[in-house]
Amino acid sequence: MVVLLAQDLNLLRLMAEILSHAGWQTLEFRSIHSFLEGMQTSQQRISALVVDFHPLSMPDRDVIEMLNGLSVPILALRPFALDQVEQSGLVSLSKPFQANDLIQSIKGLASSELAPLIQGSPHV
Amino acid sequence: MSDKSQIAESSVFYRCVEASSEPIMMTNLRGRIIYVNPAWSRVYGYSFDEAIGQTPRMLRSQHQSEDFYNTMWKEILDPQNGVWRGELVNQAKDGSEVPVLLTISPYKELSSESTDGYMAWAVDLREKRHLEAQILKQDRLATIGELTSGLAHEIGTPMSVIRGRAELLQLELSQDLKANRSLSIIIRQIDRISSLISSLLRLTSQKSSVELVAVDVKKCFQEVLDLFEYKLRKGKVEVSLSVPDSCLILADFERLEQVFINLIVNGIYAMEKKEGTEKRVLKLQAQASECGKKIAILIEDNGTGIPPHLKQKIFEPFFTTKPTTSGTGLGLSIVSRLVQEMNGEISLTSSEGVGAQFVLKFKMA
C-alpha cells in the first residue's frame, strides 16, 4: 500500500493511476488532518508515503518535521528545486516528474524495512 | 610663501595637470586641440601626437545630437554663464563608449583680458555606470527570482498532471503511432518548460554558502568532455586540451563543471553555425597568471564569433542569438553568476567570423 497525500485532486488521481499500472494499491488524502485521521483507523501496512508539500500546511505544526517523525519511508514531491524539502533530508522527486521515476522511487523506498506508520499507535 | 605669479609661472601647475587622474584637454579659440594630459590619452586611446591639431569632434558619439552641442556652446559663449557642465557619452579610439561628466570653461593667459581658448576637464564615469548596471542587474535578477519561485510552486503540479496524463495515454494508445507522436511532442514541450524554470531558479537562487575547495581543472574538463564525446564527434570538433596536471583552483566542482558545459555548448553551436570547410577546433587551456596567484582558464572556439555591439549583452538573462527553439538565453548569465559565486572573473574576446575566447580567472589553490 502506498499512501498519497496531496491537495491537488488531479495530481492525486494521476499518481494513483500510475502506481496502479505498476501493481500498487493506493490510499489518497487531500489534507494533513484527513491523513492523520485515516491513519488512526487504517490496519494496512504502508510501504511508502508520497507527499506533495505545496500547499500543505498546518497552522501550529511544521509538516515536514511531523512527517519526518513517522516511521515510514517518505517521498517528497518538490516544485523544481525547493530548498525547504532539499534540506529536510527527505527523498524527493521534483515536479514535473516522469511516471517511471515515480515508480522507481517508490520501489526504492518500499524495499527498505517496513515499520508501523505512527509510532506507538495501537491501530497500526 | 610664493606670490601668485611665481606659482603660475613655475612648472608646478603643469606637473599637477600632467599627473591628474582625470582627462584634461585644451583647445585654442579655433577649437583645435593644443594639449591633452596622459589621463586623457589613457581614457580615449589617442596619443598626444594623434590628438594635437584635431578638434574635440573626434570624440563625438551617436548619443548626443547636433542640437545638444549647439546648446552646450551657446552656454559656454554666453558671458553670463561662461562654463558648461554636464554628462555626455564620448567615443574612444577603439570605438568604445566613455560616459563622462564634463566641464568646459574658457581660459585666459595671465596677461590677457580676452579668452585664449577652452579647457575641458572630464570625470570618467565608466566605473560608476558599470556599478549602476550591476545593481540594476541584481535588482532584475531578484525580481525574476521572486517571480520564478512563485511560478515554480504554482506550475509544478499542473505540469506534472499534463506530463503524467500524456504518458498514461501513450500506454493506452501504444498501437496508435500518430497519437503517440503527438503525445511525445506534448511531453517534450513540458520538459522544455521544466528545463527553462530550472535554469531560472539556478540563475536567481540565493545560495550564500559556496564552499570553495581545491578543484582539479583538468579533471573537470575531462568529465565535461566525456559528457560531450558524442556531440563533439558528431559535430567533427577537434579538442585541443592543454592543462597541466594538478592545476588546482579554488572553486566548487559542480559549479565549475556547469560553467564549462555552458561555454562548450555555446562554442560547439557557434562552430556548427559557421559555414565553410574550416576545421572546427575547441581549445581548452589553463595557465598561471598574475604572478602565479591565479589560474587563467581559456575556452576558445573558431566559430562565428560575437559582434562587438553584442559583447556587453551576452551575459544578460534572456539574451540569445540562437533560434527560440534552441536557446533560452540563460546559459551565459548562469555562467556569469556561477563564476561570481566562486569569486572568479570572466572576460570575452571575440572577432565576428573568427571565433570567441572566454577567459576565466580563479584563485590558485
Side-chain angles (χ1 to χ4, degrees), chain A residues 39-57:
Chain A
M39 288 304 99
Q40 293 294 324
T41 54
S42 172
Q43 300 296 316
Q44 305 211 48
R45 299 286 295 184
I46 309 298
S47 303
L49 168 64
V50 183
V51 188
D52 178 22
F53 281 99
H54 179 73
L56 289 180
S57 65

Side-chain angles (χ1 to χ4, degrees), chain B residues 257-274:
Chain B
E257 198 175 46
Q258 189 65 53
V259 167
F260 288 171
I261 287 172
N262 290 11
L263 292 178
I264 289 173
V265 163
N266 272 20
I268 295 172
Y269 177 82
M271 288 187 281
E272 286 179 342
K273 208 171 71 170
K274 191 173 177 181

Side-chain angles (χ1 to χ4, degrees), chain A:
Chain A
M1 170 71 68
V2 176
V3 174
L4 307 172
L5 174 54
Q7 200 185 61
D8 190 282
L9 188 59
N10 287 313
L11 184 66
L12 267 185
R13 285 180 178 159
L14 171 74
M15 290 193 292
E17 271 188 59
I18 291 171
L19 293 173
S20 158
H21 269 280
W24 293 93
Q25 275 191 305
T26 58
L27 196 56
E28 297 112 51
F29 297 99
R30 291 186 69 191
S31 73
I32 300 277
H33 286 293
S34 62
F35 162 73
L36 292 174
E37 276 172 26
M39 288 304 99
Q40 293 294 324
T41 54
S42 172
Q43 300 296 316
Q44 305 211 48
R45 299 286 295 184
I46 309 298
S47 303
L49 168 64
V50 183
V51 188
D52 178 22
F53 281 99
H54 179 73
L56 289 180
S57 65
M58 291 182 82
D60 53 347
R61 294 182 77 174
D62 181 332
V63 177
I64 294 178
E65 196 182 293
M66 185 202 75
L67 293 175
N68 250 337
L70 305 176
S71 292
V72 65
I74 296 174
L75 176 67
L77 299 181
R78 60 190 172 111
F80 303 94
L82 182 63
D83 284 348
Q84 190 193 11
V85 171
E86 276 178 353
Q87 288 161 9
S88 67
L90 295 176
V91 177
S92 66
L93 181 64
S94 64
K95 295 185 286 185
F97 51 81
Q98 293 182 27
N100 194 45
D101 285 347
L102 177 67
I103 294 165
Q104 293 308 320
S105 301
I106 299 290
K107 272 187 186 168
L109 286 174
S111 63
S112 59
E113 197 180 319
L114 299 181
L117 182 61
I118 299 176
Q119 282 175 328
S121 165
H123 303 287
V124 182

Side-chain angles (χ1 to χ4, degrees), chain B residues 275-286:
Chain B
E275 290 171 1
T277 53
E278 191 185 351
K279 194 157 78 172
R280 294 167 179 168
V281 183
L282 179 69
K283 279 187 194 166
L284 309 172
Q285 294 174 0

